[in-house]
Amino acid sequence: MTRRGIREGRDTQAPDAEGFDVEEVLALVNDGKGPARPVGDPAPGRASARPECGDPAHGPHTPAAAHRGASGPAPADRQGHRHHATPWPEARTVAARAARSQAARRAPVSVTLGDALGLVLAAPLTALTDLPSFDTSAMDGWAVAGPGPWRVRDEGVLAGSTAPEPLADGEAVGIATGARIPPDTTAVLRSEHGRTDAQGRLHPTRDMSHGQDIRPRGQECRSGDHLLPAGAVVTPAVLGLAAAAGYDTLSAVPRPRAEVLVLGDELLTEGRPHDGLIRDALGPMLPPWLRALGTEVVAVRRIGDDEKALHKAVSRSSADLIVTTGGTASGPVDHVHPVLRRVGAELLVDGVQVRPGHPMLLARTKDEQHLVGLPGNPLAAVSGLLTLAEPLLRTLSARSAPERYALPLRDEVHGHPHDTRLVPVVLRGDHVVPLHYNGPAMLRGVAAADALAVVPPGGARAGQRTELLDLPWATAGVAACFT
């Protein structure tokens, strides 16, 4: 069942979940042999030496492809101030509203049809011509005048040819699909519905009606008709409609511009982890994900653990959104908070009641610029991206909020006592199945997922309907999403 079918309650047949080996192929959670991984499972990585605040259980930490600043409590910062995490729904609302004034000041841009895919229309799409702009043949066959049989002209009428001569009563002419209808034509006889006799006269092999298989001028729209409202997303079909309606360019909301700053001295850009160094998972992942959210990624910079370099990068950036990875906690090399204080940023969200991703933050660095600080652990960063960056970028892009929907869980999912939990799931018919490998440092689960389930504090029982956050590639297809 498709998401559209699910949301509209269509009675489509669900695939048989027992018809494939879910454990081997998808590593699904709660296979009946044990509970789901609790939210308090350790988040590996150098910065994960401390458990997330409020975790019910702590275990040993092991190295993994995780970034520093990914977990840790939200205790006192370097000045001894304590900050209180924002509830997850409120954090998304704050992020969506934060850029309203910035969005209102963004001037529309004129873009060619080839560059408009994925943008949002800044003005209504109004037909510049009648569609079709002249009477056309809907089929290959003959244009005929009056009742048959008909004398057939030698020359035919092709699409793109000059205006044909009028037809006399009892006359026919061969015509191609899309060609202009000759004046005084009664109907178009399809090629499979006609035959010629020995004298070359054309006879119909079935009854015809007046105007049959003729697309009259203006059948789809008249010049000046309102085709689409401002705010519509430019899809491939919209591009086709715009071209047919006479457009070469479209007035669109410009793409937000984002800059990604990857923090951490321990990160490798190639090869296998070694000697305490780990591969950077977020540098390759974030730019295409941001593009999938309708953003132009203007730069990806690797800063390391250098407060001076981070301050320079933040203060000099002209992007609409700066995205940092790691460094959002209060350790000795977590520089995001100190840099935000140095640039005089307004901290809008400082920690969110969500697992993974609790130490994420949102700040206004300039009148028309924001910074989203993502935790360094990969799945925690995904959580921050969907919690804070997606709503803010949606506002800047003038996109409508996605339709909220919920589906029942196949299995129980353990929750945090106080925080929302985001869990990778796959859709199977009219329910969703939670996935294994959903710890803060893990990407294996979300790589196979269709969505993230929003699990309320305390967890969710099997059969309980749970809100879902679709992943971009699960709804648009990978090629469509990232181009």
Side-chain angles (χ1 to χ4, degrees), residues 383-417:
S383 174
L385 194 67
L386 296 180
T387 300
L388 298 178
E390 186 276 331
L392 185 140
L393 291 170
R394 186 189 340 124
T395 299
L396 287 177
S397 303
R399 292 171 179 261
S400 300
E403 177 187 357
R404 295 180 61 181
Y405 75 111
L407 287 175
L409 291 163
R410 191 193 72 175
D411 307 307
E412 177 187 5
V413 177
H414 291 267
H416 187 274

Side-chain angles (χ1 to χ4, degrees), residues 13 55 60 81 110 190 192 198 204 241 268 271 278 288 324 346 435 480:
Q13 175 139 11
D55 284 349
H81 300 114
S110 179
R190 300 185 186 190
E192 63 268 26
L241 176 62
L268 296 170
I278 59 175
T324 63
E346 178 187 2
L435 293 170

Side-chain angles (χ1 to χ4, degrees), residues 113-114 116-117 125 131 220 227-228 234-247 250:
L113 298 188
L117 183 65
L125 191 70
L131 284 182
E220 185 170 1
L227 301 178
L228 289 171
V234 179
T235 64
V238 171
L239 291 175
L241 176 62
Y247 284 86
L250 293 173

Side-chain angles (χ1 to χ4, degrees), residues 31 53 75 103 145 148 151 178 199 204 209 276 300 347 353 372 386 420 438:
D31 59 357
C53 179
R151 302 179 307 278
Q199 289 74 41
S209 59
V300 179
L347 204 54
Q353 294 175 13
V372 169
L386 296 180
T420 299
N438 51 38

Side-chain angles (χ1 to χ4, degrees), residues 288-366:
W289 202 317
L290 289 166
R291 284 192 287 269
L293 297 176
T295 307
E296 176 189 356
V297 179
V298 296
V300 179
R301 307 187 194 280
R302 300 183 183 278
I303 304 297
D305 292 324
D306 187 332
E307 182 175 351
K308 183 178 179 180
L310 178 59
H311 175 263
K312 180 179 178 181
V314 171
S315 59
R316 294 188 179 184
S317 175
S318 61
D320 301 300
L321 174 65
I322 302 170
V323 178
T324 63
T325 69
T328 56
S330 54
V333 289
D334 291 333
H335 300 307
V336 174
H337 280 94
V339 165
L340 290 176
R341 285 192 292 271
R342 286 182 63 186
V343 300
E346 178 187 2
L347 204 54
L348 304 176
V349 174
D350 191 8
V352 177
Q353 294 175 13
V354 66
R355 305 301 168 121
H358 161 77
M360 67 182 74
L361 62 84
L362 170 64
R364 181 178 289 112
T365 50
K366 301 174 185 176

Side-chain angles (χ1 to χ4, degrees), residues 59 132 142 223 233 267 351 363 365 390 394 425 465:
W142 299 269
S223 180
V233 176
L267 302 179
T365 50
E390 186 276 331
R394 186 189 340 124
V425 296
R465 295 180 65 84

Side-chain angles (χ1 to χ4, degrees), residues 51-109:
E52 291 197 10
C53 179
D55 284 349
H58 315 315
H61 295 269
T62 56
H67 299 186
R68 272 178 310 89
S71 71
D77 60 19
R78 294 181 192 177
Q79 276 66 44
H81 300 114
R82 286 188 173 270
H83 27 262
H84 301 284
T86 304
W88 182 79
E90 181 182 336
R92 284 174 57 82
T93 300
V94 169
R97 291 176 177 172
R100 281 183 177 176
S101 60
Q102 181 180 350
R105 293 190 292 269
R106 287 163 61 82
V109 293

